[in-house]
Structures are given as structure tokens and as C-alpha cells.
Amino acid sequence: MTDVKDDNKSRLPRTDIDKIIHEPARLKILAQLYVVENADVIFLMRRTGLTQGNLSTHMSKLEAAEYIEIRKEFVNKKPHTLLSLSDKGRSAFRSYIKNMKEAFEELIDW
Amino acid sequence: MNQSINLNDLEKATWVTVFQSGCVDIMMGVIFIVATLCHIFDDISYYLMALYLVPALLLFAAKRYIIIPRIGLVKFHRRRRKKNLIYFAIVTTLLVILVLITAFSNSSIIQSKYANFAIICGDILIICGSIAFFLNFNRMYIYTFVILFAFILTGIIRENPGFISRTGYAYLLPAIVMIATGIVYLRRFIKTYPLS
């Protein structure tokens, strides 16, 4: 009986893909932050092609998931927002890459 | 999402933004102009050395008033900084070795002046080429050949003194090429990234 259950489970699509990261815009943000130590909002806007509003929405979601850390400071009396990937975000991104690779390896065309 | 993300390429593309504005090219061009001035006015070159601060100040100002307001601020990953440090150590070691080889070639063992000339050409190719290769600064490959050409030109001027008596004038050629290229890139950069 256990064998049949396991067999059925293996045929179902994977559900352990992190949906917060799986969204294309958030994936772009995380990928960009993964390769740098920190970056400000303008840099991320330029690199990802997102608008300020769009980026702000995704930033909030990523911050709520504790994947990124947002630091606000003043540079030359101007507000400056710096973003960096948290340790949790870094490991989540690594797991996401691993899971996606495995998912595509398991995917057999017919 | 139909585009693939290669994290290595992404990191490299992020790093290359350093050279995107053309300000580095302009700074290098100004360094060559200062070097030429020091060579031409060699009697006051000691005082002219202070002019080497100009390109550094120019780059600082460009970063603060042109680059950061347009493309923002980024701190590169420590892996990249470590890589750059290793590259810097390699280039410095190469430079020391090549200077020693050049000095050795000047000694009585290798007498030919052409051999000495060829060794310095090799030095320029190796040093400038390795800077271009290690820093992913592709335009530097072109500058390497322009600098090499300028050095060959100094040899020609020295052999045939006439209209141009100072060999240092030859280094205005890479300066002009670098500044002109830098201005083209800067213009494109300002157009692509207007102040928001």
C-alpha cells in the first residue's frame, strides 16, 4: 500500500517550489542581489527594468518573507534605500535553484 | 519568463557597469595628457606631478554627480573584490618581473637597442592586455594597441627628430582616443539613463 502511495506521489508535480521566489520580477530582484553585497533602489530599477512602484511592491513581499534586508539612510541629505539579501534569502534562493533543476530533470517529455 | 539567468554572466554584467559611463576612459586619457605635460615641461615636471590628482578628482566627481544619480549605487560581492585583489597582485607581480627583465636587457648582456625596444613593447602588451582581460574591460584591448603604437611612434620620433622634437607628444594619441571614446560612451550613458 505504501508503495502505491509513493508511486502516485512521484507522478504528481512538485509542490516544494518557493512561490515567493518563483514570480519573475522577484526572481530577477533576488538573482541580482545574489551576485552583489548590496544595491540601492535605483540600481535595481535599472538592472531589472521594473518601475519604482512595482519594485516597491515586490520589495515589501520579499521583506515580509525575510528574504531581503532594507536599510534606509541619508546620503547628502537625500533618502537612500539599500537592499541586501538576508542569510535566509540566500539559502532560499539556493534551494529554489536546486529544486527547479530537479523539477526540470524529473520532467519527461512525451 | 523565457530568458535564462546565468548567475556568472549576471555578476559579470553587473561588474561591467563600472565601465559603462565612459568616465574611466576619460580619466585614463587625462592621465596620459598629464604624463605628456610632465614630459614636455620636464624642468617643472616636479610641480606638474600634482596634476595627477586631476583625473582622480574627475572620476570622483563623475561618480558622485553623474553615475550614482543615474544608475544607483552597488557594493560588489566580496568574491568579486577578492578576485580583483588577486588580479591586482598578478598584474603587479607581472609588472615587477617585466621591469626587472627590461632592466636586465639594458645591462651589458643584451646589447641590442631593438631587443630592448621589443621587450618594452611586450611589457605594454602583457600589462595592458592583462588589465583588460582580468577586469573584463574590453575597450582596454583597443587602448593596448593604441598605447603600443604610441610607444613605437616615440621610437620613430627619437630616430628622426624634425618637426616634432619631444617623444612625449606621441602619448597624446592614446589620450585623444581614450577621451573621445569616453565622451561617446558618456553621451550614450546620459541618454540611456536620464535623471529620474
Side-chain angles (χ1 to χ4, degrees):
Chain A
M1 191 66 188
T2 322
D3 287 342
V4 173
K5 226 180 187 176
D6 280 351
D7 194 41
N8 276 340
K9 198 180 162 189
S10 70
R11 285 176 195 176
L12 289 170
R14 293 181 71 115
T15 51
D16 55 352
I17 300 295
D18 192 331
K19 288 195 176 59
I20 294 171
I21 304 178
H22 200 58
E23 206 282 328
R26 287 197 286 273
L27 180 60
K28 274 187 190 178
I29 297 168
L30 285 181
Q32 189 60 62
L33 287 175
Y34 188 77
V35 296
V36 297
E37 204 150 293
N38 59 45
D40 71 356
V41 173
I42 301 171
F43 189 84
L44 281 175
M45 272 169 59
R46 298 297 194 197
R47 297 291 308 159
T48 58
L50 297 170
T51 60
Q52 196 160 8
N54 218 340
L55 180 64
S56 178
T57 312
H58 291 300
M59 268 165 57
S60 306
K61 284 183 184 165
L62 290 169
E63 194 186 19
E66 293 176 359
Y67 284 174
I68 61 166
E69 283 160 5
I70 300 174
R71 206 171 73 234
K72 289 185 190 223
E73 55 186 37
F74 280 86
V75 177
N76 299 325
K77 293 177 186 172
K78 283 179 186 167
H80 199 75
T81 311
L82 275 178
L83 287 88
S84 60
L85 206 59
S86 66
D87 291 339
K88 189 181 170 186
R90 200 164 280 277
S91 66
F93 189 69
R94 272 196 214 108
S95 310
Y96 172 79
I97 295 171
K98 190 173 159 270
N99 290 340
M100 284 301 284
K101 271 183 187 165
E102 282 171 6
F104 280 110
E105 274 165 19
E106 287 164 16
L107 195 70
I108 297 160
D109 201 5
W110 59 279
Chain B
M1 185 88 172
N2 53 4
Q3 67 194 78
S4 64
I5 297 177
N6 181 328
L7 291 174
N8 280 328
D9 287 349
L10 186 67
E11 199 277 334
K12 207 185 264 183
T14 309
W15 164 252
V16 169
T17 57
V18 170
F19 308 114
Q20 205 178 359
S21 66
C23 291
V24 174
D25 309 54
I26 294 172
M27 187 202 71
M28 290 194 316
V30 175
I31 288 175
F32 272 94
I33 287 180
V34 174
T36 307
L37 285 175
C38 286
H39 188 265
I40 295 167
F41 304 104
D42 54 353
D43 45 340
I44 52 162
S45 66
Y46 185 75
Y47 302 104
L48 287 176
M49 291 278 188
L51 285 177
Y52 277 109
L53 280 175
V54 173
L57 290 173
L58 270 179
L59 191 65
F60 175 78
K63 205 175 171 189
R64 186 165 173 177
Y65 299 108
I66 299 172
I67 303 170
I68 293 174
R70 283 180 167 82
I71 59 160
L73 195 67
V74 61
K75 190 176 177 189
F76 293 101
H77 202 273
R78 55 180 172 273
R79 215 192 298 175
R80 164 61 71 174
R81 282 182 282 147
K82 197 177 158 188
K83 218 188 226 180
N84 283 353
L85 213 65
I86 294 168
Y87 293 159
F88 181 73
I90 292 172
V91 172
T92 311
T93 314
L94 268 176
L95 190 68
V96 171
I97 293 169
L98 293 172
V99 165
L100 286 174
I101 291 173
T102 313
F104 182 70
S105 74
N106 270 334
S107 70
S108 55
I109 299 166
I110 304 170
Q111 288 278 333
S112 165
K113 66 177 177 183
Y114 292 107
N116 192 27
F117 197 75
I119 287 169
I120 297 173
C121 286
D123 295 356
I124 293 169
L125 268 179
I126 293 169
I127 296 297
C128 297
S130 54
I131 290 170
F133 177 76
F134 288 138
L135 295 181
N136 302 114
F137 185 21
N138 292 338
R139 293 196 294 278
M140 189 69 198
Y141 289 115
I142 298 166
Y143 299 152
T144 303
F145 285 104
V146 179
I147 295 166
L148 190 69
F149 180 71
F151 179 70
I152 294 168
L153 212 57
T154 60
I156 295 169
I157 294 170
R158 199 175 292 124
E159 292 290 309
N160 310 289
F163 180 65
I164 302 169
S165 55
R166 294 272 187 174
T167 54
Y169 282 113
Y171 290 107
L172 283 178
L173 183 71
I176 292 165
V177 171
M178 285 171 190
I179 292 173
T181 313
I183 289 170
V184 170
Y185 271 85
L186 183 63
R187 196 168 164 267
R188 194 188 294 168
F189 176 80
I190 290 170
K191 257 188 176 177
T192 315
Y193 304 110
L195 280 175
S196 49

